[in-house]
Each structure stands twice: as structure tokens, then as C-alpha cells.
Amino acid sequence: LDDGEVAEDGSPPGGWPTPVETRTSFKFFRDATLVRYDGELNKANVELEDLNNCEVLLLDVTSQVTIDRCKDCRILIGPTDGSVFIRDSTSCMISLACHQLRTRATTHCDLFVHTLGPIVETSSGIRFERWNVWYPGQARHFANAKLDPLVNNWNDVYDFNTGDAAVPLPHWSTMPANEFLRWEVKFGGPHAARMDSNAPENAAEGFLTPEHLAAELEETVVEPPEKSTYAAERQPIGKRLLDGKWVPIYEEEEMAAKPALAAKPAAAKPAANAEFERELMRVAAHAGWQAEVDGFVQKHGPSFARGDGAADKAIQQALHDLYAAKLDSQLEETLGDLDVDAEAFLQKLLTAEGEFVPAAARTLLQARAMEGFEAFVELMKGGYRSEDGCGSTPVSAPTDPLRPGLVAA
């Protein structure tokens, strides 16, 4: 084949890449059925990449799932206690239960979801419906992922590109109820009995109407192996910084507990830090930086102050990402205007010790170090500075009448 030509089967020059499979990822598969059973993922992060005409069943709890460049696939993602990201994919049917769902550059996909509120970005032809899957052990997985089966904002969609003519319409829509498809997964084969249960269940069945429950049923039977390759692996559910090292955490109790830290004598503030504080204040006082930060706070502050509900946090997290990207760019421009060595400045910002001047430190650290989502919410709820540069001033902005609580663009 000449450069750029595609074979009759759609393969690129040189043929399809060799499929790659790990415990937590499937890449470059075609025309395959790919399964992970209960106990094999253990809240791991999972990656599905470059799949074509595949059926994927993740019948366990995950922490995060990313779906990239998948085409003509049918995918079942069991309860996820974090986010599911769908990017650069097309013509897929995806059933998923998660706290946050985001699509980007994705087209013509049917999504059957149980979530706190989907977010679409530069996507078109996305259709949403309620969670449609029955499989054994699902109620336990919902509980393990901290998903409330009684809360499903499947059609409360936030569209980043509302009014953007560059993205083909419709960006998203709800699926007609008469096109709803029930999907039931059962275990078969000689080793089905080793599974804890073989009674399919839908933990969120209460959201389905009689019309949904009478819809066409499609059954999938998968055959568990005699012994799982992965079940013996105990995976950490997180990590924490302890004595300067990242330590894996395996139990939720350990994650929630705060380790006792030995008291350290107060140290004198290094002279270099005092100089850096002055530099921080100089950057924070720059007109371009203040305009960017003030503009964002004025526009989006009410979205952070409006509540602590799950749906609110989904929107707050999306704005968090936008805020970081905008200030990333503005910080580099500001440092250039002030003739400050950007590389040295950012290195000091991330590694310096001691207490920084509050107004400058809180603003700049959020831009590059990102102290954490909760700190960011607190920052946005109260503004970022007062007239004297040391406190915080609440902000206000008009709300969007079409989406109460969300600020008008």
C-alpha cells in the first residue's frame, strides 16, 4: 500500500497493531469479546484503546475508565467509583454506571447511563438513556462504588459547546423509549458454578418504566475460566504521602484515617522564601493575571457556591479543569511580561517551604500545583482576594435562566 492508503478491511499501512492485553487494559483488538470478572479489577483504573467491533464486559468495580478511539463496539462498564472518559470514539453502544461521565470528540454513540450528570464536549450525535444492564452481583458492586441506585441524572447533560456552530448538531439527545434495549449477562460453561451468583439483577431498576421493562431483551452468556488469572492480585485503592514517600493504601479505613505525624519544631523562614513571596505578590498584582482570575471567578463563582450535591460537584469538577487550563496559559504570559524566568519560578512554586502570602499563594498554587478539588471549591466560593490582598471577597454573577444555578456564558 502507498502512504495513507487503507486496505479493504480498513487496516492502515503495515496492518493492524498486535493486540495488547493486561489486567487493566485492552488495546488494538478487533472482533473480540473481552471480559473481566468479579474480583479481577478491584477498583483499578482501566484503559480501553483502539478497539474495533469488540464486545467488552467489565463485571467488577473500577476507579476510573478511559475509552479512547473505539469504533463499532458494545461496552459494559460495571459501577465505577470515579469517572468514565469517552474520547475520539464513534458508533459505539456503551452501558455504564459511574459518578462522572465525560465525552470528548465522540460521535454517534448510544449511552445507557447511571450517573450524577453527563458532560459532553465537542461531541455530536450522542444519545442518552437509563442504565439498561442486568448481571449477577450488580447491587453489591453499586454499594462498593458508593453509587446510589436511587439517584440517576442520566438526562441532566452539561454541554460545553452549546451554541458552537463548529460542532455538528445535535450534540446530544435522549433516546426514544421504544428504542430501549435490555441487556442481560449470565454465566455459562463448566465453571459457571464458581461464581457467587448467576442471578442477573439491575440495581437501578426502579428508574425503568413498564415500557422499558417490556423492551427487547438481548442476552449475553460468558464462560468464566476455571481459575482467574488476576483474582489473587490485591490492588491498592489509593495512596498517601507519608514521610516524604507515596505509600499505597489497600483498605478504605486506612484511606479515611489521618496518620499521626510527629510534631516538628518551627523552623525559621528561609530568606529565599521571603524573596519568593515578594515575587508571588508581584505576579498576583499583574493586571493581566488579575483580569483572568477575576473574570473567571465573577463568571463561575456562583456555580461553586450553589451547593455540595453530587450534580453540583460534577459541574464544579468540569469548571476546575477549565480554570486550570486557562490560568496555565495566563501564568506563562504574565511571567513573560514581568521578565521572570518561568522554569525557575514554577520550580520554586512547587518545592519551596514556609508560609506564602495567602492571596498570591492560593491563586498561583491552584493554577499549577492544584492543591486539590476541595481547596479549589473553597477558593471559588469566597473569591481569591480582598481589597488589601489578604482576605477573600464573595462574588456574584447572573445565572443562566435555562439551567438554574449555572452562570450565564
Side-chain angles (χ1 to χ4, degrees):
L1 296 175
D2 295 331
D3 289 344
E5 286 192 52
V6 177
E8 291 184 4
D9 65 353
S11 62
W16 295 102
T18 301
V20 177
E21 175 181 357
T22 69
R23 184 180 71 90
T24 59
S25 67
F26 298 107
K27 303 178 182 180
F28 307 119
F29 280 88
R30 289 172 51 80
D31 307 315
T33 297
L34 310 167
V35 186
R36 287 291 177 266
Y37 296 95
D38 183 34
E40 293 186 336
L41 293 174
N42 296 317
K43 291 191 175 181
N45 293 345
V46 176
E47 299 173 339
L48 307 177
E49 298 180 6
D50 300 286
L51 306 180
N52 194 307
N53 195 38
C54 290
E55 183 172 69
V56 182
L57 298 97
L58 304 182
L59 304 174
D60 197 8
V61 180
T62 55
S63 285
Q64 176 178 292
V65 178
T66 55
I67 302 172
D68 293 295
R69 300 174 301 280
C70 291
K71 180 180 179 182
D72 298 323
C73 292
R74 184 166 70 164
I75 301 172
L76 188 169
I77 300 173
T80 301
D81 72 356
S83 300
V84 173
F85 299 92
I86 307 172
R87 301 175 291 216
D88 303 292
S89 297
T90 187
S91 303
C92 293
M93 187 189 95
I94 305 174
S95 299
L96 57 99
C98 63
H99 287 265
Q100 183 191 48
L101 165 63
R102 299 189 66 173
T103 74
R104 188 189 71 201
T106 291
T107 58
H108 306 297
C109 288
D110 287 345
L111 307 182
F112 297 85
V113 304
H114 188 96
T115 185
L116 300 177
I119 299 171
V120 297
E121 180 181 0
T122 59
S123 298
S124 61
I126 307 300
R127 302 199 306 171
F128 289 97
E129 245 296 359
R130 303 161 180 81
W131 171 247
N132 68 332
V133 178
W134 283 253
Y135 73 82
Q138 185 182 131
R140 175 168 48 83
H141 289 170
F142 260 71
N144 196 9
K146 296 181 174 62
L147 279 174
D148 188 342
L150 301 179
V151 178
N152 185 9
N153 300 320
W154 65 276
N155 58 352
D156 185 17
V157 181
Y158 180 67
D159 185 356
F160 262 113
N161 300 99
T162 298
D164 186 349
V167 181
L169 294 172
H171 298 170
W172 67 275
S173 62
T174 57
M175 184 185 301
N178 61 3
E179 294 186 34
F180 186 82
L181 176 70
R182 292 183 294 146
W183 187 5
E184 185 174 278
V185 178
K186 294 181 177 180
F187 302 126
H191 308 297
R194 80 171 180 83
M195 309 304 289
D196 289 341
S197 168
N198 202 8
E201 57 189 10
N202 183 326
E205 189 173 320
F207 276 96
L208 302 179
T209 67
E211 184 176 5
H212 289 111
L213 295 173
E216 178 185 352
L217 174 65
E218 184 160 338
E219 294 185 350
T220 297
V221 178
V222 291
E223 298 188 5
E226 180 179 6
K227 184 178 181 180
S228 172
T229 307
Y230 307 108
E233 296 188 18
R234 186 176 185 231
Q235 299 299 317
I237 62 171
K239 58 184 179 179
R240 70 152 40 104
L241 191 62
L242 186 62
D243 295 330
K245 295 181 180 180
W246 286 107
V247 178
I249 300 297
Y250 291 92
E251 303 294 342
E252 291 188 10
E253 291 76 11
E254 295 179 52
M255 183 68 79
K258 295 182 178 180
L261 301 177
K264 296 182 179 179
K269 183 186 298 184
N273 281 355
E275 180 181 347
F276 184 46
E277 287 181 5
R278 289 191 290 272
E279 195 168 56
L280 278 169
M281 287 300 294
R282 191 161 68 100
V283 172
H286 184 265
W289 179 262
Q290 287 196 2
E292 188 68 52
V293 176
D294 282 341
F296 195 93
V297 171
Q298 288 290 337
K299 183 176 180 181
H300 297 296
S303 290
F304 286 86
R306 70 177 188 164
D308 295 318
D312 299 320
K313 289 193 174 182
I315 295 174
Q316 291 163 0
Q317 179 66 60
L319 292 174
H320 169 285
D321 296 341
L322 178 63
Y323 178 78
K326 288 172 69 70
L327 295 196
D328 216 28
S329 174
Q330 181 59 46
L331 180 57
E332 293 182 9
E333 182 178 326
T334 296
L335 294 177
D337 289 346
L338 296 175
D339 197 27
V340 173
D341 184 328
E343 184 174 351
F345 179 88
L346 295 174
Q347 184 62 33
K348 285 188 288 185
L349 180 65
L350 294 171
T351 60
E353 298 177 356
E355 296 183 3
F356 300 136
V357 174
R362 290 180 71 200
T363 304
L364 295 175
L365 282 171
Q366 293 300 336
R368 288 301 288 235
M370 302 309 293
E371 289 177 310
F373 179 54
E374 294 302 328
F376 177 79
V377 171
E378 291 305 314
L379 171 69
M380 294 303 291
K381 281 182 177 178
Y384 85 104
R385 63 182 176 84
S386 62
E387 293 301 319
D388 62 3
C390 296
S392 61
T393 302
V395 294
S396 61
T399 58
D400 185 340
L402 299 180
R403 189 175 173 84
L406 185 62
V407 226

